[in-house]
Amino acid sequence: EVQLVQSGAEVKEPGESLKISCKGSGYSFSNYWIGWVRQMPGKGLEWMGIIYPGDSDTRYSPSFQGLVTISADKSISSAYLQWSSLKASDTAMYYCARRRSSSRSSEWFDAWGQGTLVTVSS
Amino acid sequence: QSVLTQPPSVSGAPGQRVTISCTGSSSNIGAGFDVNWYQQLPGTAPKILIYDNNSRPSGVPDRFSGSKSGTSASLAITGLQTEDEADYYCQSYDSSLSGSVFGGGTKLTVL
């Protein structure tokens, strides 16, 4: 069974750094892109970026470029999302998801982590 | 403002049929990129409902169907059930943003 298990909820103060994780199992982790999706309280889904664990090729949404860093360690089947200096506006649920594709015009996310709630407050 | 536009809410009585629209542009749906739909039940992670415009993953009832035409797509749900009450999101790829984009989401209420 394909599973993505994310690290637990975090409560941080503004200006602190943070790295959350997403561990895959039940499939060849290196061979599938992993995306990150933000959901702010009461709001919709926002695509942040994506990484290919096999070679760490990474793409970012223009809205998140420079604000977060996405990384992966294929040796332990894990992907990461990190911030160097959190803001209150980073308060949200963050999901990782496995990307699938059937053609050059196709991209969807077939397996999702349970989400990591990040709360940034002084 | 989401790149893909969905109605904020739709509603229907049990047993009825509802549709949710998703309108894009020439850089995403209109460019030929496929549309996918997700269901998010309260307090849970999104779940893939329809991929590649009209394909259902195993386990998704055939009450759910998708279609695409031009710069728009639709999700249809027939035989509405109370457990269908959830938020629904469309998603596609956008060539000008070089990444995936989501619709703003539609809250389905089963009256």
Side-chain angles (χ1 to χ4, degrees):
Chain A
E1 179 196 4
V2 173
Q3 274 197 309
L4 295 173
V5 178
Q6 298 185 229
S7 49
E10 301 274 2
V11 179
K12 293 287 190 180
E13 294 190 356
E16 290 190 310
S17 62
L18 175 64
K19 189 175 188 177
I20 63 175
S21 66
C22 167
K23 184 173 177 61
S25 63
Y27 73 100
S28 178
F29 186 79
S30 296
N31 295 341
Y32 290 83
W33 292 81
I34 292 286
W36 286 93
V37 176
R38 181 175 80 173
Q39 187 167 37
M40 298 178 78
K43 302 298 184 183
L45 305 175
E46 299 173 90
W47 184 82
M48 302 176 71
I50 199 163
I51 188 165
Y52 188 73
D55 61 5
S56 290
D57 185 11
T58 309
R59 320 276 169 82
Y60 292 93
S61 161
S63 299
F64 292 93
Q65 179 84 48
L67 302 180
V68 297
T69 301
I70 294 171
S71 60
D73 184 343
K74 64 182 179 182
S75 69
I76 55 172
S77 300
S78 293
Y80 305 94
L81 178 65
Q82 69 180 87
W83 295 260
S84 59
S85 181
L86 286 160
K87 307 181 191 61
S89 58
D90 292 318
T91 294
M93 182 71 83
Y94 293 88
Y95 294 102
C96 63
R98 187 179 76 161
R99 174 191 181 271
R100 297 292 304 277
S101 177
S102 61
S103 71
R104 288 176 62 86
S105 66
S106 159
E107 169 172 297
W108 76 94
F109 299 96
D110 72 331
W112 293 67
Q114 83 277 19
T116 296
L117 181 62
V118 174
T119 303
V120 184
S121 174
S122 54
Chain B
Q1 197 84 348
S2 300
V3 173
L4 304 179
T5 301
Q6 297 180 233
S9 64
V10 297
S11 62
Q16 284 191 332
R17 177 182 187 271
V18 297
T19 61
I20 299 173
S21 61
C22 174
T23 303
S25 67
S26 59
S27 62
N28 42 69
I29 300 175
F33 293 105
D34 295 325
V35 178
N36 313 293
W37 292 91
Y38 301 84
Q39 177 192 60
Q40 187 176 33
L41 297 168
T44 69
K47 166 194 162 187
I48 185 70
L49 208 57
I50 298 288
Y51 66 95
D52 285 355
N53 305 317
N54 54 21
S55 296
R56 275 187 313 275
S58 59
V60 173
D62 59 6
R63 301 187 296 105
F64 295 90
S65 63
S67 63
K68 173 190 156 184
S69 178
T71 59
S72 296
S74 289
L75 172 71
I77 310 172
T78 58
L80 266 183
Q81 299 180 4
T82 54
E83 55 260 41
D84 297 333
E85 228 175 56
D87 294 322
Y88 293 83
Y89 294 89
C90 60
Q91 173 255 323
S92 186
Y93 183 88
D94 190 284
S95 57
S96 63
L97 297 173
S98 298
S100 271
V101 287
F102 286 95
T106 298
K107 182 174 183 59
L108 168 63
T109 301
V110 181
L111 304 168

Short mmCIF file of all heavy atoms in Angstrom, two decimals, chain A residues 9-60:
data_model
loop_
_atom_site.label_atom_id
_atom_site.label_comp_id
_atom_site.label_asym_id
_atom_site.label_seq_id
_atom_site.Cartn_x
_atom_site.Cartn_y
_atom_site.Cartn_z
N ALA A 9 2.46 18.02 14.12
CA ALA A 9 2.14 19.45 14.17
C ALA A 9 3.27 20.23 14.86
O ALA A 9 3.95 19.72 15.76
CB ALA A 9 0.83 19.66 14.91
N GLU A 10 3.44 21.47 14.43
CA GLU A 10 4.49 22.33 14.95
C GLU A 10 3.89 23.66 15.39
O GLU A 10 3.01 24.20 14.72
CB GLU A 10 5.54 22.60 13.86
CG GLU A 10 6.21 21.37 13.31
CD GLU A 10 7.42 20.93 14.13
OE1 GLU A 10 7.73 21.57 15.16
OE2 GLU A 10 8.08 19.96 13.71
N VAL A 11 4.39 24.18 16.49
CA VAL A 11 4.05 25.53 16.95
C VAL A 11 5.35 26.29 17.07
O VAL A 11 6.26 25.88 17.82
CB VAL A 11 3.31 25.51 18.29
CG1 VAL A 11 3.00 26.95 18.72
CG2 VAL A 11 2.02 24.71 18.20
N LYS A 12 5.47 27.37 16.32
CA LYS A 12 6.72 28.13 16.27
C LYS A 12 6.43 29.62 16.44
O LYS A 12 5.30 30.07 16.26
CB LYS A 12 7.40 27.91 14.90
CG LYS A 12 7.91 26.49 14.68
CD LYS A 12 9.13 26.23 15.52
CE LYS A 12 9.80 24.93 15.15
NZ LYS A 12 11.00 24.70 15.99
N GLU A 13 7.50 30.34 16.76
CA GLU A 13 7.39 31.79 16.85
C GLU A 13 7.91 32.41 15.56
O GLU A 13 8.74 31.81 14.86
CB GLU A 13 8.19 32.29 18.05
CG GLU A 13 7.62 31.84 19.39
CD GLU A 13 8.28 32.54 20.55
OE1 GLU A 13 9.23 33.32 20.34
OE2 GLU A 13 7.84 32.30 21.70
N PRO A 14 7.43 33.62 15.24
CA PRO A 14 7.92 34.32 14.05
C PRO A 14 9.44 34.45 14.08
O PRO A 14 10.02 34.70 15.14
CB PRO A 14 7.25 35.69 14.14
CG PRO A 14 6.01 35.44 14.91
CD PRO A 14 6.36 34.38 15.91
N GLY A 15 10.06 34.22 12.92
CA GLY A 15 11.51 34.32 12.83
C GLY A 15 12.23 32.99 13.02
O GLY A 15 13.41 32.87 12.64
N GLU A 16 11.57 31.99 13.57
CA GLU A 16 12.19 30.69 13.77
C GLU A 16 12.26 29.92 12.45
O GLU A 16 11.54 30.20 11.50
CB GLU A 16 11.43 29.86 14.81
CG GLU A 16 11.57 30.41 16.23
CD GLU A 16 11.01 29.44 17.26
OE1 GLU A 16 9.86 28.99 17.08
OE2 GLU A 16 11.73 29.16 18.24
N SER A 17 13.14 28.93 12.43
CA SER A 17 13.26 28.06 11.25
C SER A 17 12.49 26.77 11.52
O SER A 17 12.17 26.42 12.66
CB SER A 17 14.72 27.74 10.97
OG SER A 17 15.29 27.05 12.07
N LEU A 18 12.18 26.06 10.43
CA LEU A 18 11.41 24.83 10.55
C LEU A 18 11.64 23.95 9.34
O LEU A 18 11.77 24.45 8.21
CB LEU A 18 9.91 25.14 10.67
CG LEU A 18 8.95 23.94 10.70
CD1 LEU A 18 9.20 23.10 11.96
CD2 LEU A 18 7.50 24.40 10.65
N LYS A 19 11.68 22.64 9.57
CA LYS A 19 11.76 21.66 8.49
C LYS A 19 10.77 20.56 8.80
O LYS A 19 10.85 19.93 9.86
CB LYS A 19 13.18 21.09 8.41
CG LYS A 19 13.46 20.23 7.19
CD LYS A 19 14.96 19.85 7.18
CE LYS A 19 15.36 19.15 5.90
NZ LYS A 19 16.82 18.85 5.89
N ILE A 20 9.80 20.33 7.92
CA ILE A 20 8.83 19.25 8.10
C ILE A 20 9.12 18.16 7.08
O ILE A 20 9.72 18.41 6.03
CB ILE A 20 7.37 19.75 8.01
CG1 ILE A 20 7.06 20.32 6.64
CG2 ILE A 20 7.10 20.78 9.10
CD1 ILE A 20 5.58 20.71 6.46
N SER A 21 8.67 16.95 7.40
CA SER A 21 9.05 15.81 6.56
C SER A 21 7.85 15.01 6.07
O SER A 21 6.74 15.12 6.59
CB SER A 21 9.99 14.89 7.33
OG SER A 21 9.31 14.31 8.43
N CYS A 22 8.14 14.20 5.06
CA CYS A 22 7.13 13.36 4.42
C CYS A 22 7.84 12.07 4.03
O CYS A 22 8.74 12.10 3.18
CB CYS A 22 6.60 14.10 3.19
SG CYS A 22 5.62 13.12 2.03
N LYS A 23 7.47 10.95 4.65
CA LYS A 23 8.15 9.69 4.40
C LYS A 23 7.26 8.75 3.59
O LYS A 23 6.12 8.48 3.98
CB LYS A 23 8.54 9.01 5.72
CG LYS A 23 9.34 7.73 5.53
CD LYS A 23 9.84 7.20 6.85
CE LYS A 23 10.59 5.88 6.68
NZ LYS A 23 11.78 6.03 5.82
N GLY A 24 7.78 8.29 2.47
CA GLY A 24 7.02 7.41 1.60
C GLY A 24 7.33 5.95 1.85
O GLY A 24 8.44 5.58 2.26
N SER A 25 6.33 5.11 1.62
CA SER A 25 6.51 3.66 1.72
C SER A 25 5.54 2.96 0.79
O SER A 25 4.55 3.55 0.33
CB SER A 25 6.29 3.19 3.16
OG SER A 25 4.97 3.44 3.58
N GLY A 26 5.86 1.70 0.47
CA GLY A 26 4.97 0.91 -0.38
C GLY A 26 5.19 1.10 -1.86
O GLY A 26 4.43 0.57 -2.67
N TYR A 27 6.22 1.86 -2.23
CA TYR A 27 6.54 2.06 -3.65
C TYR A 27 7.98 2.52 -3.76
O TYR A 27 8.63 2.81 -2.75
CB TYR A 27 5.58 3.07 -4.28
CG TYR A 27 5.81 4.52 -3.88
CD1 TYR A 27 6.50 5.40 -4.71
CD2 TYR A 27 5.33 5.02 -2.66
CE1 TYR A 27 6.71 6.72 -4.36
CE2 TYR A 27 5.54 6.34 -2.30
CZ TYR A 27 6.23 7.18 -3.14
OH TYR A 27 6.45 8.50 -2.78
N SER A 28 8.48 2.63 -4.99
CA SER A 28 9.84 3.08 -5.22
C SER A 28 9.91 4.60 -5.11
O SER A 28 9.61 5.33 -6.07
CB SER A 28 10.31 2.63 -6.61
OG SER A 28 11.61 3.09 -6.86
N PHE A 29 10.27 5.08 -3.93
CA PHE A 29 10.21 6.51 -3.62
C PHE A 29 11.00 7.36 -4.61
O PHE A 29 10.58 8.45 -4.99
CB PHE A 29 10.73 6.73 -2.20
CG PHE A 29 10.58 8.14 -1.70
CD1 PHE A 29 9.36 8.62 -1.24
CD2 PHE A 29 11.67 9.00 -1.67
CE1 PHE A 29 9.22 9.92 -0.77
CE2 PHE A 29 11.55 10.30 -1.20
CZ PHE A 29 10.31 10.76 -0.75
N SER A 30 12.15 6.83 -5.06
CA SER A 30 13.03 7.63 -5.93
C SER A 30 12.40 7.96 -7.27
O SER A 30 12.82 8.91 -7.94
CB SER A 30 14.34 6.86 -6.18
OG SER A 30 15.05 6.69 -4.99
N ASN A 31 11.45 7.18 -7.70
CA ASN A 31 10.95 7.25 -9.07
C ASN A 31 9.68 8.07 -9.28
O ASN A 31 9.14 8.09 -10.39
CB ASN A 31 10.72 5.83 -9.61
CG ASN A 31 12.01 5.05 -9.74
OD1 ASN A 31 13.10 5.64 -9.76
ND2 ASN A 31 11.91 3.74 -9.79
N TYR A 32 9.19 8.70 -8.23
CA TYR A 32 7.97 9.51 -8.36
C TYR A 32 8.21 10.90 -7.77
O TYR A 32 8.76 11.03 -6.68
CB TYR A 32 6.80 8.86 -7.61
CG TYR A 32 6.30 7.59 -8.23
CD1 TYR A 32 6.93 6.38 -7.97
CD2 TYR A 32 5.18 7.59 -9.07
CE1 TYR A 32 6.47 5.20 -8.53
CE2 TYR A 32 4.71 6.41 -9.63
CZ TYR A 32 5.36 5.23 -9.36
OH TYR A 32 4.90 4.06 -9.91
N TRP A 33 7.77 11.93 -8.50
CA TRP A 33 7.82 13.28 -7.99
C TRP A 33 6.94 13.38 -6.73
O TRP A 33 5.87 12.77 -6.66
CB TRP A 33 7.32 14.27 -9.03
CG TRP A 33 8.20 14.43 -10.23
CD1 TRP A 33 8.27 13.61 -11.32
CD2 TRP A 33 9.12 15.50 -10.48
NE1 TRP A 33 9.18 14.09 -12.22
CE2 TRP A 33 9.71 15.26 -11.74
CE3 TRP A 33 9.49 16.65 -9.77
CZ2 TRP A 33 10.66 16.12 -12.30
CZ3 TRP A 33 10.43 17.51 -10.32
CH2 TRP A 33 11.01 17.23 -11.57
N ILE A 34 7.39 14.20 -5.79
CA ILE A 34 6.61 14.52 -4.59
C ILE A 34 6.33 16.02 -4.59
O ILE A 34 7.26 16.83 -4.70
CB ILE A 34 7.35 14.14 -3.30
CG1 ILE A 34 7.47 12.62 -3.16
CG2 ILE A 34 6.64 14.73 -2.08
CD1 ILE A 34 6.18 11.91 -2.79
N GLY A 35 5.06 16.38 -4.46
CA GLY A 35 4.68 17.79 -4.42
C GLY A 35 4.29 18.21 -3.01
O GLY A 35 3.98 17.38 -2.16
N TRP A 36 4.34 19.52 -2.78
CA TRP A 36 3.88 20.10 -1.51
C TRP A 36 2.74 21.06 -1.80
O TRP A 36 2.80 21.85 -2.76
CB TRP A 36 5.02 20.82 -0.79
CG TRP A 36 6.01 19.88 -0.18
CD1 TRP A 36 7.18 19.42 -0.74
CD2 TRP A 36 5.93 19.27 1.11
NE1 TRP A 36 7.82 18.57 0.12
CE2 TRP A 36 7.08 18.46 1.27
CE3 TRP A 36 5.00 19.33 2.17
CZ2 TRP A 36 7.32 17.72 2.42
CZ3 TRP A 36 5.25 18.59 3.31
CH2 TRP A 36 6.40 17.79 3.44
N VAL A 37 1.72 21.01 -0.95
CA VAL A 37 0.51 21.82 -1.13
C VAL A 37 0.17 22.51 0.18
O VAL A 37 0.18 21.86 1.25
CB VAL A 37 -0.67 20.92 -1.57
CG1 VAL A 37 -1.96 21.73 -1.66
CG2 VAL A 37 -0.36 20.26 -2.92
N ARG A 38 -0.10 23.80 0.12
CA ARG A 38 -0.48 24.56 1.30
C ARG A 38 -1.99 24.75 1.34
O ARG A 38 -2.63 24.96 0.31
CB ARG A 38 0.19 25.94 1.29
CG ARG A 38 -0.14 26.79 2.52
CD ARG A 38 0.63 28.10 2.54
NE ARG A 38 0.04 29.11 1.67
CZ ARG A 38 0.45 30.36 1.61
NH1 ARG A 38 1.47 30.75 2.36
NH2 ARG A 38 -0.12 31.22 0.79
N GLN A 39 -2.55 24.68 2.55
CA GLN A 39 -3.95 25.02 2.76
C GLN A 39 -4.04 25.90 4.00
O GLN A 39 -3.93 25.42 5.13
CB GLN A 39 -4.83 23.78 2.91
CG GLN A 39 -6.31 24.11 2.97
CD GLN A 39 -7.19 22.89 2.82
OE1 GLN A 39 -6.89 21.81 3.31
NE2 GLN A 39 -8.31 23.05 2.11
N MET A 40 -4.24 27.19 3.78
CA MET A 40 -4.38 28.12 4.89
C MET A 40 -5.74 27.91 5.55
O MET A 40 -6.65 27.34 4.92
CB MET A 40 -4.20 29.55 4.39
CG MET A 40 -2.81 29.78 3.80
SD MET A 40 -2.55 31.42 3.14
CE MET A 40 -2.29 32.34 4.64
N PRO A 41 -5.89 28.32 6.79
CA PRO A 41 -7.14 28.05 7.53
C PRO A 41 -8.37 28.51 6.77
O PRO A 41 -8.49 29.68 6.38
CB PRO A 41 -6.95 28.85 8.82
CG PRO A 41 -5.47 28.91 9.01
CD PRO A 41 -4.90 29.02 7.64
N GLY A 42 -9.28 27.59 6.52
CA GLY A 42 -10.52 27.91 5.84
C GLY A 42 -10.40 28.23 4.37
O GLY A 42 -11.37 28.69 3.75
N LYS A 43 -9.23 27.97 3.79
CA LYS A 43 -8.99 28.34 2.39
C LYS A 43 -8.74 27.11 1.52
O LYS A 43 -8.81 25.98 1.98
CB LYS A 43 -7.79 29.29 2.31
CG LYS A 43 -7.96 30.57 3.12
CD LYS A 43 -9.12 31.41 2.63
CE LYS A 43 -9.21 32.72 3.38
NZ LYS A 43 -10.40 33.51 2.94
N GLY A 44 -8.44 27.37 0.24
CA GLY A 44 -8.25 26.30 -0.72
C GLY A 44 -6.83 25.79 -0.79
O GLY A 44 -5.96 26.18 -0.01
N LEU A 45 -6.61 24.92 -1.76
CA LEU A 45 -5.31 24.28 -1.96
C LEU A 45 -4.41 25.13 -2.86
O LEU A 45 -4.88 25.67 -3.87
CB LEU A 45 -5.51 22.90 -2.61
CG LEU A 45 -6.45 21.94 -1.88
CD1 LEU A 45 -6.66 20.67 -2.71
CD2 LEU A 45 -5.93 21.61 -0.50
N GLU A 46 -3.15 25.21 -2.49
CA GLU A 46 -2.17 25.97 -3.29
C GLU A 46 -0.95 25.09 -3.53
O GLU A 46 -0.34 24.61 -2.58
CB GLU A 46 -1.72 27.22 -2.55
CG GLU A 46 -2.81 28.21 -2.21
CD GLU A 46 -2.27 29.32 -1.33
OE1 GLU A 46 -1.78 30.34 -1.88
OE2 GLU A 46 -2.32 29.18 -0.09
N TRP A 47 -0.58 24.93 -4.80
CA TRP A 47 0.58 24.14 -5.14
C TRP A 47 1.85 24.94 -4.90
O TRP A 47 1.99 26.06 -5.39
CB TRP A 47 0.49 23.75 -6.62
CG TRP A 47 1.57 22.85 -7.10
CD1 TRP A 47 1.65 21.49 -6.96
CD2 TRP A 47 2.74 23.23 -7.83
NE1 TRP A 47 2.79 21.01 -7.55
CE2 TRP A 47 3.48 22.05 -8.10
CE3 TRP A 47 3.23 24.45 -8.29
CZ2 TRP A 47 4.67 22.06 -8.80
CZ3 TRP A 47 4.43 24.46 -9.00
CH2 TRP A 47 5.14 23.28 -9.24
N MET A 48 2.76 24.38 -4.10
CA MET A 48 3.97 25.11 -3.71
C MET A 48 5.18 24.75 -4.57
O MET A 48 6.01 25.60 -4.91
CB MET A 48 4.31 24.81 -2.25
CG MET A 48 3.22 25.16 -1.27
SD MET A 48 3.63 24.68 0.40
CE MET A 48 4.92 25.88 0.79
N GLY A 49 5.31 23.47 -4.87
CA GLY A 49 6.47 23.03 -5.61
C GLY A 49 6.54 21.52 -5.62
O GLY A 49 5.69 20.84 -5.04
N ILE A 50 7.60 21.00 -6.27
CA ILE A 50 7.68 19.57 -6.48
C ILE A 50 9.14 19.16 -6.60
O ILE A 50 9.98 19.95 -7.05
CB ILE A 50 6.87 19.21 -7.74
CG1 ILE A 50 6.51 17.74 -7.79
CG2 ILE A 50 7.56 19.69 -9.01
CD1 ILE A 50 5.38 17.43 -8.76
N ILE A 51 9.44 17.93 -6.17
CA ILE A 51 10.82 17.43 -6.24
C ILE A 51 10.82 15.99 -6.73
O ILE A 51 9.91 15.21 -6.43
CB ILE A 51 11.51 17.54 -4.86
CG1 ILE A 51 13.00 17.20 -4.96
CG2 ILE A 51 10.81 16.65 -3.81
CD1 ILE A 51 13.80 17.62 -3.74
N TYR A 52 11.84 15.66 -7.51
CA TYR A 52 12.05 14.29 -7.95
C TYR A 52 13.16 13.70 -7.09
O TYR A 52 14.32 14.07 -7.24
CB TYR A 52 12.45 14.25 -9.42
CG TYR A 52 12.49 12.86 -10.00
CD1 TYR A 52 11.31 12.16 -10.26
CD2 TYR A 52 13.71 12.23 -10.26
CE1 TYR A 52 11.35 10.88 -10.77
CE2 TYR A 52 13.75 10.95 -10.78
CZ TYR A 52 12.57 10.27 -11.03
OH TYR A 52 12.60 8.99 -11.53
N PRO A 53 12.82 12.82 -6.14
CA PRO A 53 13.83 12.31 -5.21
C PRO A 53 15.01 11.60 -5.88
O PRO A 53 16.10 11.56 -5.32
CB PRO A 53 13.03 11.35 -4.33
CG PRO A 53 11.63 11.85 -4.40
CD PRO A 53 11.47 12.33 -5.80
N GLY A 54 14.80 11.07 -7.07
CA GLY A 54 15.87 10.33 -7.73
C GLY A 54 17.11 11.16 -7.99
O GLY A 54 18.23 10.68 -7.86
N ASP A 55 16.88 12.48 -8.37
CA ASP A 55 18.03 13.34 -8.63
C ASP A 55 17.88 14.72 -7.98
O ASP A 55 18.67 15.61 -8.25
CB ASP A 55 18.24 13.51 -10.14
CG ASP A 55 17.05 14.15 -10.84
OD1 ASP A 55 16.10 14.56 -10.15
OD2 ASP A 55 17.06 14.24 -12.08
N SER A 56 16.84 14.87 -7.14
CA SER A 56 16.56 16.13 -6.42
C SER A 56 16.23 17.30 -7.34
O SER A 56 16.36 18.46 -6.92
CB SER A 56 17.70 16.50 -5.47
OG SER A 56 17.74 15.59 -4.38
N ASP A 57 15.85 17.04 -8.58
CA ASP A 57 15.35 18.10 -9.46
C ASP A 57 14.13 18.72 -8.79
O ASP A 57 13.22 18.00 -8.36
CB ASP A 57 14.97 17.49 -10.82
CG ASP A 57 14.56 18.55 -11.82
OD1 ASP A 57 14.75 19.76 -11.56
OD2 ASP A 57 14.04 18.17 -12.89
N THR A 58 14.13 20.04 -8.66
CA THR A 58 13.08 20.74 -7.90
C THR A 58 12.50 21.89 -8.71
O THR A 58 13.24 22.62 -9.37
CB THR A 58 13.65 21.28 -6.57
OG1 THR A 58 14.34 20.22 -5.88
CG2 THR A 58 12.55 21.81 -5.67
N ARG A 59 11.20 22.04 -8.64
CA ARG A 59 10.50 23.16 -9.28
C ARG A 59 9.65 23.86 -8.22
O ARG A 59 9.10 23.19 -7.35
CB ARG A 59 9.58 22.65 -10.41
CG ARG A 59 10.18 21.54 -11.25
CD ARG A 59 11.04 22.05 -12.34
NE ARG A 59 11.82 21.00 -13.00
CZ ARG A 59 11.34 20.19 -13.95
NH1 ARG A 59 10.09 20.31 -14.37
NH2 ARG A 59 12.12 19.27 -14.50
N TYR A 60 9.55 25.18 -8.32
CA TYR A 60 8.76 25.94 -7.36
C TYR A 60 7.68 26.74 -8.06
O TYR A 60 7.88 27.24 -9.17
CB TYR A 60 9.64 26.92 -6.58
CG TYR A 60 10.64 26.28 -5.65
CD1 TYR A 60 11.94 26.00 -6.06
CD2 TYR A 60 10.28 25.96 -4.33
CE1 TYR A 60 12.86 25.41 -5.20
CE2 TYR A 60 11.19 25.38 -3.46
CZ TYR A 60 12.48 25.10 -3.91
OH TYR A 60 13.39 24.52 -3.05
#
